[in-house]
Each structure stands twice: as C-alpha cells, then as structure tokens.
Amino acid sequence: MQDEIRINREHKDRLFRRIFSKKEDLLSLYNALNNSDYTNTEDLQIYTMDDFVYMSMRNDLSFLIDMTLNVFEHQSTYNPNMPLRGFFYMSSAYQKYIALNHLDIYSSKRISLPLSQYYVFYNGTKKMPDESTLLLTDSMPHPDAAEKSSAQFSAHMININAGHSSGIMQRCPKLYQYSLFIEEIRQNQKQGSTLREAVGTAVDSCI
C-alpha cells in the first residue's frame, strides 16, 4: 500500500515539474498567480535546488523575477508541515541570491532582498478550499506564538484539483490541462485500472 501511495505521488510530482520546467510555462503560472503579464523569459532566473546537503529535501520550482523570489511546490497529500519546509527552501534560495550577487551580510549597510513568495499546489484527495494559508507559527504550541515568534512564515496553498481555483486555471492553460489529466487518471483507477492502465487511458482520452 505504501509503495502504491509513493508511486501515485511521484507520477504527479514528476509531471508537474516537467510541465513547468520550461520558462514560458513557469512564467505563465507566475502571471496567473500574480495577475501580471510578463512575457520575456529572460527576466526569469531559475533558483531550483536539487537537494539540501543535510536534509535530502528538494523543492519543485524556484525562480527570481522582478525582485520576487518564488518557491513553488507540488503536493499530492495534505501536509501541515509545508510552512516549515518552505522556510528551509526559502532560506536556501536567499543564500543562493546573496552568493550570486556578492552581498555582504556583515556590512553596516542594509542589503536589499527580493520579496519572498511560497506557493504549494495541492491535488490530494482530502477536501480543501480553493486557497488557504498555512502558518509556521501554527506548529508552535506556545499560546503567544503568532505574536511573539521571530519566525513568521506562511505557505499559500492552491487547490489545483479539477473544478477548483477556476480563476487561476483560466489564466494558466497548462495548469488546467494538468488538473484534468490527473483527474482522468484518478477516475480510471477508481474503476479498477492499474496506474499504468489508468495513465494510458487518460493519455488517449485527453488527446
């Protein structure tokens, strides 16, 4: 059962990363989230990191555009720890930004940093609203965590299951097509197909 869950999660994650590995599609997704209209892919600088030295964690997509540092992650199951993971991802992305721009964090002059945005694209089976915000302080049992914690970090979760987040889907056709394809696979599996059979049938149907 665990192997089946892992396989289902991996085929969704890999497909999501592959679709948005092209700069033009990643830019389309960014525009859909921010109601912007960027068209020049040269303005987009990839920051995605394959793994962390000490945690063996990988974020799906990370990039810089217009002084906004973005981390996008696909999630096939609901995970309340996404803010903590995003906190690590964003910290690493900022370290990369500082190194690439030869900034001195020990200087007496304040350095300028890009705005941070962390989005989680969710398509699990647990019922969730179109959009929700998960806070790092929610994981802290201290009664005054929200007011007193120095670590204020949030994960903006977007439900990309078929039938959800219609505005974003309309603005990003590739995301809409992905949601329909995954829903087709899911329905085929419910009818008794193996994952391989479900994917094959979904490919024929969507084409």
Side-chain angles (χ1 to χ4, degrees):
M1 182 63 179
Q2 288 298 320
D3 287 343
E4 183 179 343
I5 293 174
R6 178 180 58 80
I7 292 170
N8 274 275
R9 180 184 301 136
E10 287 183 354
H11 85 266
K12 295 175 186 176
D13 293 349
R14 288 175 180 174
L15 179 58
F16 183 86
R17 288 197 301 271
R18 181 164 184 173
I19 290 174
F20 294 105
S21 62
K22 294 182 179 179
K23 281 190 172 184
E24 56 268 29
D25 295 321
L26 186 55
L27 193 57
S28 172
L29 182 56
Y30 175 83
N31 285 334
L33 293 169
N34 294 277
N35 290 306
S36 52
D37 55 0
Y38 292 100
T39 57
N40 187 4
T41 57
E42 295 304 313
D43 293 336
L44 190 152
Q45 184 178 0
I46 299 297
Y47 268 61
T48 303
M49 299 166 210
D50 290 333
D51 60 77
F52 291 86
V53 173
Y54 63 98
M55 296 194 73
S56 297
M57 296 172 66
R58 179 188 64 227
N59 70 294
D60 290 337
L61 303 162
S62 183
F63 61 98
L64 177 72
I65 184 171
D66 192 28
M67 279 301 285
T68 302
L69 189 55
N70 304 272
V71 174
F72 290 176
E73 187 168 14
H74 176 274
Q75 192 67 24
S76 298
T77 55
Y78 175 73
N79 185 337
N81 299 308
M82 296 311 292
L84 181 58
R85 289 170 53 171
F87 183 75
F88 290 135
Y89 298 148
M90 193 63 71
S91 174
S92 186
Y94 271 126
Q95 289 180 54
K96 183 173 182 178
Y97 176 85
I98 289 169
L100 288 174
N101 291 277
H102 308 289
L103 300 177
D104 181 8
I105 63 174
Y106 300 104
S107 170
S108 59
K109 181 180 179 180
R110 179 186 294 125
I111 62 176
S112 295
L113 295 173
L115 174 72
S116 60
Q117 290 192 145
Y118 177 49
Y119 282 95
V120 177
F121 297 91
Y122 168 80
N123 74 341
T125 56
K126 181 178 179 178
K127 298 296 182 182
M128 298 297 296
D130 285 2
E131 298 187 36
S132 54
T133 301
L134 307 180
L135 303 175
L136 180 57
T137 50
D138 290 341
S139 297
M140 302 175 187
H142 193 286
D144 298 321
E147 291 77 25
K148 294 185 176 181
S149 174
S150 298
Q152 301 287 352
F153 193 81
S154 60
H156 191 175
M157 190 165 70
I158 308 293
N159 190 339
I160 58 170
N161 280 298
H164 288 271
S165 307
S166 59
I168 295 173
M169 295 293 184
Q170 290 173 6
R171 294 190 294 272
C172 184
K174 284 292 179 69
L175 185 63
Y176 174 67
Q177 293 164 10
Y178 169 81
S179 71
L180 292 183
F181 182 67
I182 295 301
E183 178 62 19
E184 186 74 15
I185 294 175
R186 186 173 286 157
Q187 293 303 319
N188 291 340
Q189 287 183 292
K190 285 183 179 179
Q191 295 174 14
S193 298
T194 64
L195 177 59
R196 182 181 295 275
E197 293 169 341
V199 171
T201 302
V203 168
D204 292 338
S205 175
C206 290
I207 289 175

